[in-house]
Amino acid sequence: MQFTFRTDMTELLVVTTNGMTFAALQTQNNGDHGRAVRDDGAARGSTEQKGAIMRNTIRHLAKLTVSATVLASAFLAGPALADEDGVLKIGAPLALTGGLADEGKKQEAVWQLWLDKVTANGGIEVDGKKMPVELVYYDYQTDGKRAGQLAEKLITDDGVDVLMAPFGSGHTKIVAAVAERYQTPLVACVASSVSVYDQGFKYLFGTLAPNTGMTESMVAYFKEKMPGLSKVAVYGRDDVFPKAMATALAASAGNAGLDVVYNELYAVGTMDHSAAVSAIKSASPDWIYMTGYTQDLILGRKQMSDLGIDAPIITMVTGPAYAEFTEGLGELADGVTSSTWWHHATSYTDTIGAWSSTADFYKDFVAKFGGDPDYVHGSCAAAADVLVNAVQTAGSTDKTAVRDALAATEVLTFYGPIDFGDNGMNQGREMPIIQVQGEAIKVLYPAAIADAEMTMIK
Amino acid sequence: MDVFQILLNGIVLGALYACIAIGFSLVWGVLNVINMLHGSFIILGGYLTYFAWHYTGIYPIILLPFVALALFALGYVLQHLFINKVVTAPVLTTLTLTFGLDMILYNLMTVFFTATPRRVTLDLGTLSFGDVYLPIDRLLGMALALVLTALLYLVMRGSRIGRAIVAVRMDRQAAALMGIRVNQVYSITFGIGALMAGAAGAIFAMVFPVTTNLTGVFLGKAFVVCVIGGLGSVPGALVGGLALGLIESVAGYTIGPQNAITVGFLLMLFLLVVRPTGLIGVKGYE
């Protein structure tokens, strides 16, 4: 039996599928005061027990999060871990606390769902043998620099075979640089800005499609639905993804012959939008396109209403893709349109990976979490499927072989087709346009999955 | 008409900034403590209001006094148990302590409430005069800023505790010799600072989304407003807030929202160089 010992200033969570999980949380100086949770999986390693262990561990971690002085360390024991080749180790820095905690937790939740599913099948099948999967992740506290350090630690200390990126283009960019340096395959599930992928990295792959495809189809669709559409105002957050979307939309609108009457960015940390909203109002646009985080968009939409804006089309990216947008806005959300990378109304069948169809994934997700999955859940679960698929194709966890297999990937997952282009981004998917109608999110486009007609805001 | 709208936007926004800064300015001025907890206090006030409204349906304006009192209690206890131990130490020590306390409070809120933006979705509507619009919830915020400033002024001028606070600020030793319990005055002052943050949070729950992501933004605004307005006088925060609100509003409209914040900071730098006491601050408090 081999023993691995770790000490670090951060929260550590280890989940193994080999039936033996041992996580200990202890203070720096006195190991005897540590708390330990042990799951002797050989005797009673049911999924429920693992769930309980997870919940327990998370509860301990929550306590730890608030205590800057407590150190967390963990012991891992188990024969499977000693054998580096017998297990697929996936590492991820996640934002479980701080500004992006909500997004980080979505990744954590859906990967746990995925892992449970894989574990229930006894692991993944590689070269005719069952290989257990292990997920190691650390909380990087929404601090980009720390994400990079933890990615390095995952590779050098924990010896993970592959990495998954945290939420957002900005932090993915940081982690991608580390992965490239150590030639470790990295799959990003929530980074869609081309600027992340055009750095010539060979080990970076992304399951979201490029932003630009989204804006062109949207301009075309709105022109068709509102023949008089002529003036558009673009207002975006000066941040990697929101800025990329705002820039792409302004360009697409210009190319399509629309008049871009307002095109400004707002700084990160902007607390109020009244000046910009007043300026937009003076330009009397038919369509307002605003990008930002949910809190910016909630405030922006409210101020548009407060200051008497009456544009028939208001698009907020990615606002309505998240349930918290509609909850935070109430009636004001009605009529707001958006685009998203994935919607659970899509229906792919005969798919590879943990789920054989979109409906299958949706059923499992709702059963476990109650609410609907959004694109973060879909894309991240599919990223895990793609990683496993590459390992299966490569026949081993050898990093170069897995990287080559990823580059050659052309599969259909429950989330949709995945085919990485030269820069590593998923190519050419038709991305849905959605609209809040009443309390529901309706799909307007593409026609194949549309379930409502577009309505104008009165 | 745009000009009126821009000026009105600036005044109303400035009043909200003043709401943020009043308590912060008091604590900084009297205790010489830069209270890093202030932004989290406002958000905590927002959360208390939001959840009370969400589960009982009581109007935030009625909840305001209760939320403010709850924050007073929290502020009093924190000062009594922790900050008083180091309150005479150099400002870096108290800054570090409140920074640490803020990390605890911030992360507790993120763990228990999550960072999901929530809002009291009571849209009170908006008053319109021709083409100029004035949202009613912001009008309430403005009224609160004025009431808080007036109340603080009266308390500082007319009440025993107010005179004690002023005395302690002027000369800690002499105040102690006169029989003033200095540590208690400190705790009460910090409590009042938290109370003001709680009151602002109750109104803000209708105006801004309540999320822990905004704590740093609020704290930053409070800081800038205090430097612009100046410390050591009660109306300083109000004047600083209005000045910053107007400048950001005009700059946001004319040179674009991307640069509005920069202009605010430039004003702060300019004042630090030419008038370190701020617009109406008292000498010796800078």
Side-chain angles (χ1 to χ4, degrees):
Chain A
M1 178 186 282
Q2 189 159 344
F3 229 35
T4 317
F5 176 71
R6 297 195 186 91
T7 304
D8 190 72
M9 280 289 292
T10 187
E11 297 85 345
L12 170 66
L13 199 56
V14 177
V15 187
T16 62
T17 61
N18 67 338
M20 195 87 148
T21 307
F22 192 99
L25 310 176
Q26 63 178 55
T27 55
Q28 184 183 21
N29 299 323
N30 195 341
D32 296 333
H33 291 172
R35 252 182 305 221
V37 188
R38 190 164 197 263
D39 171 24
D40 191 353
R44 45 186 171 74
S46 70
T47 317
E48 286 82 355
Q49 276 170 342
K50 290 214 181 70
I53 297 288
M54 268 297 294
R55 279 192 296 279
N56 250 332
T57 313
I58 287 172
R59 220 169 288 139
H60 291 315
L61 288 174
K63 285 176 194 157
L64 263 186
T65 313
V66 299
S67 166
T69 55
V70 177
L71 291 180
S73 61
F75 297 95
L76 290 176
L81 285 177
D83 178 8
E84 284 296 319
D85 293 325
V87 61
L88 172 61
K89 247 181 167 182
I90 304 175
L94 282 183
L96 297 177
T97 53
L100 291 176
D102 281 6
E103 310 313 330
K105 283 180 186 156
K106 281 182 191 173
Q107 291 180 289
E108 181 191 26
V110 82
W111 283 338
Q112 190 54 49
L113 182 73
W114 176 85
L115 190 67
D116 287 348
K117 186 93 176 171
V118 169
T119 307
N121 292 333
I124 57 168
E125 190 147 331
V126 180
D127 231 5
K129 282 184 292 214
K130 286 281 184 187
M131 180 187 278
V133 180
E134 188 189 328
L135 200 57
V136 188
Y137 50 93
Y138 295 105
D139 176 17
Y140 75 90
Q141 301 168 346
T142 317
D143 172 358
K145 220 167 65 199
R146 211 176 158 80
Q149 291 161 354
L150 289 172
E152 191 157 3
K153 177 179 162 50
L154 282 163
I155 298 169
T156 56
D157 240 28
D158 300 286
V160 298
D161 302 304
V162 287
L163 278 175
M164 289 207 271
F167 180 88
S169 294
H171 293 166
T172 297
K173 214 170 182 170
I174 297 169
V175 173
V178 177
E180 192 69 18
R181 197 158 72 236
Y182 289 96
Q183 307 201 324
T184 303
L186 169 70
V187 178
C189 55
V190 220
S192 69
S193 303
V194 179
S195 66
V196 177
Y197 299 90
D198 62 7
Q199 306 177 96
F201 289 165
K202 292 274 167 280
Y203 284 80
L204 169 66
F205 300 91
T207 47
L208 295 184
N211 300 329
T212 39
M214 246 173 166
T215 55
E216 271 159 23
S217 55
M218 178 174 262
V219 170
Y221 178 78
F222 286 169
K223 275 181 79 169
E224 179 199 323
K225 291 292 159 187
M226 186 185 168
L229 179 64
S230 70
K231 290 194 280 186
V232 54
V234 181
Y235 182 51
R237 179 178 160 112
D238 193 1
D239 208 341
V240 182
F241 167 72
K243 184 179 171 181
M245 288 302 288
T247 316
L249 192 277
S252 304
N255 291 341
L258 294 182
D259 186 8
V260 183
V261 290
Y262 184 89
N263 188 5
E264 292 281 356
L265 297 171
Y266 58 92
V268 175
T270 297
M271 217 184 91
D272 180 81
H273 301 290
S274 51
V277 170
S278 296
I280 291 172
K281 191 182 166 201
S282 320
S284 55
D286 308 308
W287 176 18
I288 300 172
Y289 185 89
M290 178 174 175
T291 68
Y293 289 179
T294 305
Q295 75 219 34
D296 303 316
L297 299 176
I298 289 177
L299 184 61
R301 178 68 190 97
K302 174 166 160 44
Q303 293 202 271
M304 286 177 200
S305 151
D306 281 350
L307 295 171
I309 280 202
D310 53 2
I313 307 178
I314 295 176
T315 303
M316 300 200 138
V317 172
T318 51
Y322 300 106
E324 47 270 33
F325 174 81
T326 31
E327 283 160 14
L329 269 173
E331 286 174 10
L332 283 176
D334 197 21
V336 174
T337 42
S338 187
S339 41
T340 182
W341 289 268
W342 178 80
H343 191 273
H344 58 79
T346 50
S347 52
Y348 296 103
T349 49
D350 295 328
T351 58
I352 63 124
W355 291 280
S356 61
S357 69
T358 315
D360 198 16
F361 169 75
Y362 183 72
K363 196 181 82 218
D364 278 3
F365 188 92
V366 174
K368 173 133 190 205
F369 301 111
D372 284 347
D374 63 31
Y375 79 89
V376 177
H377 298 116
S379 178
C380 288
D385 281 340
V386 170
L387 264 179
V388 164
N389 180 67
V391 171
Q392 288 167 327
T393 311
S396 75
T397 56
D398 176 72
K399 288 177 176 176
T400 320
V402 172
R403 185 259 154 215
D404 292 342
L406 276 170
T409 296
E410 204 179 331
V411 293
L412 182 68
T413 67
F414 76 90
Y415 156 85
I418 291 181
D419 169 13
F420 299 116
D422 289 340
N423 66 354
M425 286 193 96
N426 192 11
Q427 296 302 298
R429 297 186 45 230
E430 259 193 338
M431 284 162 286
I433 297 175
I434 54 177
Q435 182 173 38
V436 184
Q437 293 188 0
E439 304 227 314
I441 303 287
K442 300 286 186 187
V443 182
L444 306 177
Y445 175 90
I449 57 165
D451 58 0
E453 267 297 306
M454 182 177 174
T455 56
M456 299 293 159
I457 298 171
K458 287 169 201 83
Chain B
M1 286 309 252
D2 273 357
V3 180
F4 294 113
Q5 182 70 61
I6 298 305
L7 291 180
L8 190 63
N9 287 347
I11 291 169
V12 179
L13 177 63
L16 295 181
Y17 284 166
C19 281
I20 295 176
I22 291 172
F24 185 75
S25 159
L26 176 74
V27 169
W28 193 358
V30 175
L31 276 67
N32 199 24
V33 168
I34 298 177
N35 177 18
M36 303 293 284
L37 277 156
H38 197 74
S40 296
F41 279 161
I42 297 176
I43 292 295
L44 181 61
Y47 275 125
L48 293 178
T49 311
Y50 172 82
F51 286 111
W53 167 78
H54 189 75
Y55 291 110
T56 64
I58 299 172
Y59 259 62
I61 201 85
I62 299 169
L63 293 166
L64 188 145
F66 301 101
V67 172
L69 279 177
L71 264 291
F72 176 85
L74 176 67
Y76 185 95
V77 169
L78 284 179
Q79 176 76 27
H80 186 73
L81 291 182
F82 302 108
I83 308 172
N84 267 345
K85 311 282 185 235
V86 294
V87 75
T88 51
V91 75
L92 188 65
T93 309
T94 50
L95 185 101
T96 312
L97 175 63
T98 54
F99 179 71
L101 289 172
D102 181 54
M103 280 180 73
I104 295 174
L105 179 59
Y106 172 91
N107 280 303
L108 276 175
M109 288 196 294
T110 308
V111 168
F112 285 107
F113 305 141
T114 76
T116 302
R118 295 183 171 86
R119 196 174 68 89
V120 174
T121 49
L122 277 179
D123 284 299
L124 303 180
T126 180
L127 300 173
S128 62
F129 315 94
D131 221 12
V132 178
Y133 288 78
L134 177 59
I136 293 173
D137 45 21
R138 289 187 177 227
L139 192 64
L140 274 179
M142 199 163 138
L144 179 74
L146 295 173
V147 168
L148 286 184
T149 308
L151 267 181
L152 189 61
Y153 186 80
L154 290 176
V155 166
M156 291 303 229
R157 283 269 152 169
S159 73
R160 262 175 83 85
I161 181 67
R163 298 323 291 164
I165 290 174
V166 173
V168 169
R169 177 62 186 99
M170 283 175 170
D171 193 329
R172 185 186 144 87
Q173 270 87 19
L177 289 173
M178 296 300 118
I180 295 175
R181 282 187 287 179
V182 173
N183 277 351
Q184 187 161 8
V185 168
Y186 280 158
S187 300
I188 290 174
T189 310
F190 198 80
I192 296 176
L195 176 146
M196 304 242 163
I203 295 288
F204 281 16
M206 290 190 292
V207 180
F208 297 107
V210 182
T211 160
T212 45
N213 295 348
L214 282 178
T215 56
V217 177
F218 287 162
L219 181 67
K221 289 292 177 206
F223 191 81
V224 178
V225 167
C226 284
V227 174
I228 293 178
L231 296 171
S233 84
V234 173
L238 190 61
V239 171
L242 288 175
L244 184 65
L246 277 168
I247 284 161
E248 284 195 3
S249 182
V250 173
Y253 190 84
T254 51
I255 59 172
Q258 202 178 1
N259 306 310
I261 297 180
T262 317
V263 175
F265 278 113
L266 282 179
L267 174 75
M268 183 178 96
L269 278 179
F270 176 74
L271 278 176
L272 277 176
V273 174
V274 302
R275 198 180 158 85
T277 52
L279 291 176
I280 60 164
V282 175
K283 206 160 169 48
Y285 282 75
E286 63 269 22

